[in-house]
Amino acid sequence: MDTINQRLIQVMEHFNLSPSAFAAKLDINRSSMSHIVSGRNKPGLEIIQKLLSAFPVINTSWLLIGSGEMLESNVRIVERASLFNEVTDTEQKPEKANPETKSKKELDLLDTITNVYTELEKKNNLGESNIQKSVKRITLYYDNGSFEDFYSDNK
């Protein structure tokens, strides 16, 4: 049976990453990764959490105890971009969203979020009984650095 260190090395090899690149992807020290690869240390909980966050396709049971396959099946990978990335000259800067141009899908999303918030408020008694709360604005941030504001029709 292989160890958690060996499974971590398998992940690194599967994604064709060197120990240095793997450490950078997990935002840990290269020396920590070197100690894990050499077998000197076992990865701690923080490293496991960072690995599962950076590689959501990895099967948690496989990584922790060696049970099952390395990759999860039916996992949707979403690449996250930083909200603070600079817009380069070749990219277009985002424009403010015009409420009249919102698609039905976007408006349905706003309604869904409003309904979920309302249900959570009822369930958890977040609002005081004499104060009525409603969603005024929701902002969506896209991976290309643009954003859109959705305003509620409730006044």
Side-chain angles (χ1 to χ4, degrees):
M1 182 173 179
D2 56 352
T3 66
I4 192 165
N5 294 52
Q6 291 167 330
R7 289 189 294 274
L8 201 114
I9 293 168
Q10 286 178 341
V11 171
M12 187 173 57
E13 290 172 349
H14 177 79
F15 290 99
N16 295 323
L17 296 170
S18 67
S20 294
F22 196 60
K25 179 96 171 152
L26 299 183
D27 193 29
I28 62 173
N29 293 329
R30 287 184 292 169
S31 61
S32 296
M33 183 54 61
S34 175
H35 292 272
I36 292 168
V37 169
S38 71
R40 178 178 171 190
N41 295 344
K42 292 187 185 290
L45 179 60
E46 184 179 352
I47 291 174
I48 302 280
Q49 289 173 324
K50 287 182 176 188
L51 184 142
L52 292 171
S53 178
F55 301 97
V57 296
I58 299 299
N59 180 345
T60 306
S61 295
W62 174 83
L63 182 64
L64 295 175
I65 59 175
S67 168
E69 298 295 318
M70 177 171 62
L71 301 178
E72 289 277 358
S73 58
N74 301 326
V75 173
R76 183 173 169 235
I77 302 172
V78 177
E79 190 68 33
R80 293 183 204 137
S82 170
L83 295 176
F84 307 105
N85 285 348
E86 291 289 325
V87 177
T88 62
D89 293 334
T90 59
E91 297 175 338
Q92 291 184 342
K93 295 195 178 199
E95 296 180 16
K96 279 225 164 187
N98 183 353
E100 289 80 30
T101 63
K102 299 206 183 328
S103 69
K104 179 175 177 2
K105 186 176 180 180
E106 291 169 329
L107 293 173
D108 288 345
L109 176 63
L110 178 61
D111 289 340
T112 301
I113 292 171
T114 303
N115 292 339
V116 167
Y117 177 80
T118 304
E119 288 301 315
L120 284 173
E121 188 175 52
K122 286 178 189 175
K123 182 178 178 182
N124 295 319
N125 295 324
L126 295 175
E128 296 182 22
S129 59
N130 59 352
I131 298 175
Q132 186 68 5
K133 293 182 182 178
S134 63
V135 176
K136 292 168 73 174
R137 180 180 73 181
I138 296 175
T139 304
L140 295 177
Y141 297 94
Y142 297 101
D143 59 358
N144 67 356
S146 65
F147 65 93
E148 288 186 81
D149 286 327
F150 294 93
Y151 295 93
S152 173
D153 291 336
N154 300 341
K155 303 278 177 183

